[in-house]
Amino acid sequence: MGVLQQGLSAFTRKHGLGVACFIGLSVFVWVVFLIVLPQLSMLDFSFRYNLPRAEVGGPADVYTLDNYAYFFQGNDGTFNALDIGILVKTMVAAVIVTVIDIAICYPIAFILAHSATGVAARLMVIGLIVPFWVNEILRAFAFRVLFGATGLVNSIGLSAGFWDVPIDFIRADVALYSGLVYAYILLMIFPIFNAVEALDRNQIEAARDMGASWWRVHWRVVLPIAKPGIVSGATMVFMLTAGALAAPQILGGPSNLWFTQLIYQWFNESANWQRGSAYAVVLLVVCISFVMMLMRVFKVSIGEIGR
């Protein structure tokens, strides 16, 4: 609390009381009205029965654990392997997308921070940002066209003789994983870039002069500095991937159901907001627990990520 007060005092002295009050009020409104209250409302819904409108607020409108029990046991009281399996598959897919993004974005962020300069650096940034001017849904449809049976990928593969018949990349989830990796790539690159940029280039040169290989330089010198940025980017990519809806709807195969699609079905197709809220709370708790576990494993604190 003392550190927070010192930070607020320093910010007020630097920018003035008016700016400090405006920023504080904006953050308060954002957190309370757009995060806390909607989540509390959803949590309240998740403990309610799905009643006709006339019975809401009546004697039958009481709290219950039935919506959560349904997730674990279903209607027949047995283990709900289908819904739990979909949740596990969604989490595994989110981890895979996050790992792929880290593998792609780490070298790009390092080059952008310590190798590219002048025009080359600006062109790299423009090349990364400009494609995201296109709407996310349009990008998802573009990936569906790209990986379709008559799309560019199959056309090149067939023309080059890599395969004899078109490959169903949609059913194999290749299009889905590619679309999700691309959708959140900026959220991984820039946190890593911000962390790596703070690294003194002389440390890298000193390690190279002492005979360290590039692999060892990155493992012992760069990665400890980049770790908070990697965890920050991985957190955002993982949470957004697990909560994605548009991309799984457009790019997912007919047998591939995302957990967010289950939530969507409860809210919109079944008109059961109470059960949909329970499923949303389960997804939120699982995602936050997984992220907290990873932070503990990699020994990264919230403060380090915030920097």
Side-chain angles (χ1 to χ4, degrees), residues 98-143:
T98 303
V99 171
I100 294 174
D101 262 339
I102 292 174
I104 293 173
C105 295
Y106 174 78
I108 295 176
F110 180 80
I111 292 172
L112 190 60
H114 286 283
S115 297
T117 58
V119 177
R122 288 193 290 271
L123 288 176
M124 285 186 67
V125 173
I126 292 173
L128 290 170
I129 293 176
V130 168
F132 286 85
W133 290 0
V134 179
N135 182 273
E136 180 183 356
I137 296 178
L138 294 180
R139 293 202 307 268
F141 276 111
F143 270 90

Side-chain angles (χ1 to χ4, degrees), residues 10 37 44 57 59 70 93-94 171 176-177 189 191 220 224 229 267:
L37 292 182
D44 180 73
Y70 181 90
R171 189 179 293 273
L176 175 58
Y177 281 80
I189 287 180
R220 298 296 297 273
F267 271 98

Side-chain angles (χ1 to χ4, degrees), residues 258-268 272 276-277 279-281 283:
W258 217 255
F259 195 74
T260 48
Q261 292 174 280
L262 282 183
I263 298 173
Y264 177 86
Q265 290 173 4
W266 283 120
F267 271 98
N268 293 278
N272 192 336
S277 296
Y279 274 52
V281 170
L283 177 62

